[in-house]
Amino acid sequence: MNEQIVAAGELKWWQRGIIYQIYPRSFQDSNDDGVGDLRGITARLPYVASLGVEAVWLSPIFTSPMRDFGYDVADYCDIDPLFGTLGDFDALVTEAHRLGLKVMLDYVPNHTSSDHAWFRDAITGPDSDRRDWYVWRAPAPDGGPPNNWVSFFGGPAWTLDPTSGQYYLHQFLPSQPDLNWRNPAVRRAMGDVLRFWMDRGVDGFRVDVIWLLAEDDRFLDEPENPDWTPGSVEHARLQHVYTQDQPETHAYIRELRQVLDEYDDRMMVGEIYLPVEQLLPYAGTPAQPMVHLPFNFHLILLPWHAAGVRDFADRYDAACVAAGSWPNWVLGNHDQHRFKSRVGAAQYRVAQTLLLTLRGTPTVYYGDEIGLQNVPIPPERMVDPAGVQQPDVPAASRDPERTPMHWNTQPNAGFTAGHVEPWLPVDDAFASLNVEQQESDPASDLNYFRALTRLRRDHPALVGGAYVSEDSGAADVFAFRRTLDGEVVTVLLNFGSASQTLGDLAQGRTLLSSVGDQPVAGAALRPNEARIVLR
Ligand code: GLC
């Protein structure tokens, strides 16, 4: 038996538990300014704990001009006044720990804000002590940018500093200059940032765009992507062979891991959009560990078909077993459209069941537990730079998945008192789609989510057990088993809209059905049904 397939009690918290992502601007406003904050989050932590999750991950809360809503950090070691104070943060950590929740922060090492003291110093001129903390290049012979690299939000990845005549690199906005990770002083300073927060009791980090830390130092043009189609985002026009997944990046991550390992039981999960073969190496080896979890975003990227999802789950699980690394699964985050909108309302519980029963750590995006969907944003309310800078690509804006949480039927869904317009519109659907209403409805999506997390608690096979998929005999049905110490739990997922008779696979006692009843052993799987059966 693989050493990773062990009883839940022997697993680390980040293997055993569910990570719940909070987008702080949109969770709960406590001071009536239309933007969520730390005190609001603290007040809602009992709700988060009631979901049966293990950890909260907060998207950035640090000092920032908010041009990329906090992913442009001006001071890594302080809280932006919009969100509160360091005292509010300490209170949040204390309350989370009292409730048995771990706290994870968003660590943004690839770039700072141009308002950061380091960059303000660096841009004073080539003699600045901090000049080499960022990436500077001379113009091309025609005076233009040094090469063809493009920013994720469209436009060149280089901006001219007219004073020195040099360009600086930014993989995102011009106001998000890339740090130069080749410089050991940068790596030391960024290691100290981790120590600062671990000393304050932080349990882990989600590491922003960790696969982008290094660039090839020849600064060659990147090749065109032959599959790019006009009308899709400009960044996809190139193949990012010199700006992503460079060997130096792996070395830098090993150093970051050493910093984490100075402390007990801390973890980091890295944001990495790569195919499995390039993704799994980011976990490193037992001798040279890297991130504890390299985010697996493939459930977001794959077409929603039983056969394709099964094939991916089989390949990924086998690759994790072979590499001795722990799997993880994601359906949504603040950069991706809501999964209920993506897979369709009929498939919502099938997807939720899949996320919470596959082998590996699930990450849940706030509001997905009550079934929030994309919220249409009128053009004049669009604020996300990815959307504002790319008006010809309608799907580029991430505002639709970042709207305020729906708590109750009060004005603005209870997110903010209502004297100030919330920073993004609240979905009109809140009147019938909110936490309070779902709390009192045993058949609600919220209570279905809780039933799933209870099952994980009561059936260790669902957490630590081995995974093996089964031939269901129906093209639309993905079936798999989780087994541990003689316990066999079968998960049956109908991706289609026809009823399916499955014979032996459906035998056993129904632990949970997405339809809300208790089908007898062997009963046909109904359209769009998810069912969990104990043999
Ligand atoms: C990551 C974040 C995204 C942000 C970008 C730049 O992809 O998830 O929200 O815009 O990095 O920091």
Side-chain angles (χ1 to χ4, degrees):
M1 185 189 279
N2 185 282
E3 63 185 59
Q4 295 245 327
I5 299 166
V6 287
E10 295 165 45
L11 295 173
K12 297 275 194 190
W13 64 267
W14 49 270
Q15 296 175 309
R16 165 182 81 223
I18 299 166
I19 299 171
Y20 184 83
Q21 179 188 359
I22 291 177
Y23 195 70
R25 297 181 70 89
S26 288
F27 206 56
Q28 179 67 65
D29 181 16
S30 76
N31 64 349
D32 203 11
D33 65 355
V35 180
D37 48 47
L38 295 183
R39 287 177 178 221
I41 293 171
T42 304
R44 293 296 187 183
L45 285 177
Y47 165 77
V48 177
S50 81
L51 298 174
V53 303
E54 183 85 21
V56 287
W57 146 33
L58 308 182
S59 282
I61 51 174
F62 317 106
T63 315
S64 166
M66 302 289 166
R67 296 187 189 101
D68 189 20
F69 299 105
Y71 285 96
D72 46 335
V73 181
D75 183 348
Y76 288 105
C77 297
D78 206 351
I79 304 291
D80 195 275
L82 197 59
F83 295 125
T85 63
L86 279 169
D88 293 332
F89 179 73
D90 292 340
L92 185 155
V93 173
T94 303
E95 172 69 350
H97 286 169
R98 189 186 70 78
L99 291 164
L101 293 167
K102 305 282 186 190
V103 177
M104 296 170 56
L105 288 182
D106 215 310
Y107 174 68
V108 188
N110 179 68
H111 45 271
T112 68
S113 160
S114 51
D115 289 7
H116 196 292
W118 299 341
F119 188 75
R120 289 212 311 268
D121 190 339
I123 203 160
T124 57
D127 294 336
S128 153
D129 286 349
R130 304 262 196 238
R131 185 70 170 186
D132 189 48
W133 283 42
Y134 295 86
V135 183
W136 302 90
R137 300 293 290 169
D142 68 357
N147 62 28
N148 73 345
W149 295 356
V150 290
S151 131
F152 271 81
F153 298 151
W158 297 97
T159 288
L160 180 66
D161 160 34
T163 316
S164 65
Q166 289 190 319
Y167 282 81
Y168 66 87
L169 177 69
H170 51 87
Q171 297 231 42
F172 295 91
L173 293 172
S175 57
Q176 292 170 295
D178 269 46
L179 281 166
N180 175 17
W181 273 74
R182 290 177 189 277
N183 184 333
V186 167
R187 305 206 293 277
R188 272 195 304 275
M190 290 306 291
D192 285 344
V193 171
L194 293 175
R195 293 185 185 94
F196 176 87
W197 292 108
M198 288 190 286
D199 287 341
R200 285 198 111 86
V202 167
D203 302 286
F205 302 91
R206 174 268 188 185
V207 187
D208 193 60
V209 296
I210 198 168
W211 86 117
L212 308 187
L213 290 182
E215 294 78 39
D216 186 290
D217 62 1
R218 293 168 297 168
F219 294 93
L220 302 171
D221 279 355
E222 292 192 319
E224 300 282 330
N225 172 7
D227 299 329
W228 183 75
T229 46
S232 47
V233 290
E234 189 191 357
H235 186 256
R237 193 168 53 73
L238 300 180
Q239 293 178 311
H240 302 289
V241 294
Y242 300 129
T243 52
Q244 303 190 356
D245 193 28
Q246 302 297 301
E248 293 83 352
T249 295
H250 289 232
Y252 305 151
I253 297 172
R254 281 183 214 113
E255 283 184 32
L256 289 175
R257 174 61 180 261
Q258 283 171 10
V259 175
L260 259 78
D261 288 347
E262 293 168 13
Y263 294 71
D264 276 350
D265 210 19
R266 313 298 160 108
M267 69 80 86
M268 60 177 163
V269 48
E271 183 197 18
I272 304 165
Y273 284 88
L274 286 176
V276 170
E277 312 74 61
Q278 286 160 278
L279 179 66
L280 290 196
Y282 278 79
T285 61
Q288 294 195 305
M290 293 165 60
V291 297
H292 299 75
L293 299 173
F295 261 141
N296 161 21
F297 295 125
H298 290 271
L299 283 185
I300 296 173
L301 307 171
L302 282 171
W304 195 251
H305 298 304
V309 172
R310 175 190 180 180
D311 175 63
F312 178 80
D314 286 355
R315 279 194 303 116
Y316 175 70
D317 193 81
C320 288
V321 169
S325 71
W326 186 255
N328 77 91
W329 300 94
V330 184
L331 275 177
N333 62 38
H334 64 293
D335 294 329
Q336 303 292 342
H337 293 328
R338 289 275 178 186
F339 85 79
K340 185 169 183 181
S341 304
R342 194 169 65 244
V343 303
Q347 281 289 300
Y348 164 76
R349 289 191 182 186
V350 170
Q352 194 75 284
T353 309
L354 178 71
L355 176 72
L356 296 178
T357 56
L358 282 167
R359 192 175 76 89
T361 305
T363 299
V364 172
Y365 186 51
Y366 84 95
D368 279 350
E369 74 278 17
I370 56 169
L372 291 192
Q373 304 213 46
N374 292 340
V375 179
I377 309 291
E380 67 281 6
R381 295 288 307 267
M382 196 200 279
V383 289
D384 176 25
V388 173
Q389 291 206 166
Q390 304 179 95
D392 301 336
V393 189
S397 172
R398 300 165 295 181
D399 293 330
E401 61 264 24
R402 295 178 174 181
T403 62
M405 181 67 172
H406 301 184
W407 295 107
N408 51 43
T409 52
Q410 288 166 21
N412 297 309
F415 162 70
T416 184
H419 305 107
V420 174
E421 186 98 65
W423 77 287
L424 278 176
V426 178
D427 187 6
D428 291 337
F430 81 86
S432 57
L433 170 55
N434 61 70
V435 169
E436 194 176 88
Q437 168 254 323
Q438 293 199 13
E439 289 280 7
S440 57
D441 173 5
S444 67
D445 290 335
L446 174 59
N447 283 318
Y448 184 71
F449 183 89
R450 288 196 178 117
L452 283 167
T453 62
R454 263 196 311 275
L455 273 192
R456 289 173 60 92
R457 194 193 59 207
D458 296 345
H459 296 276
L462 281 173
V463 178
Y467 158 93
V468 60
S469 69
E470 302 283 348
D471 289 326
S472 68
D476 277 340
V477 175
F478 174 26
F480 59 90
R481 292 205 157 115
R482 303 291 312 280
T483 54
L484 183 73
D485 295 340
E487 183 179 53
V488 182
V489 179
T490 307
V491 181
L492 305 168
L493 304 170
N494 191 348
F495 280 58
S497 52
S499 160
Q500 303 285 352
T501 305
L502 300 176
D504 188 51
L505 259 186
Q507 292 301 330
R509 177 163 70 86
T510 298
L511 295 173
L512 184 66
S513 163
S514 61
V515 178
D517 55 4
Q518 277 255 322
V520 295
L525 197 61
R526 288 157 291 179
N528 301 301
E529 181 181 359
R531 192 187 301 168
I532 303 176
V533 171
L534 184 68
R535 293 293 271 189

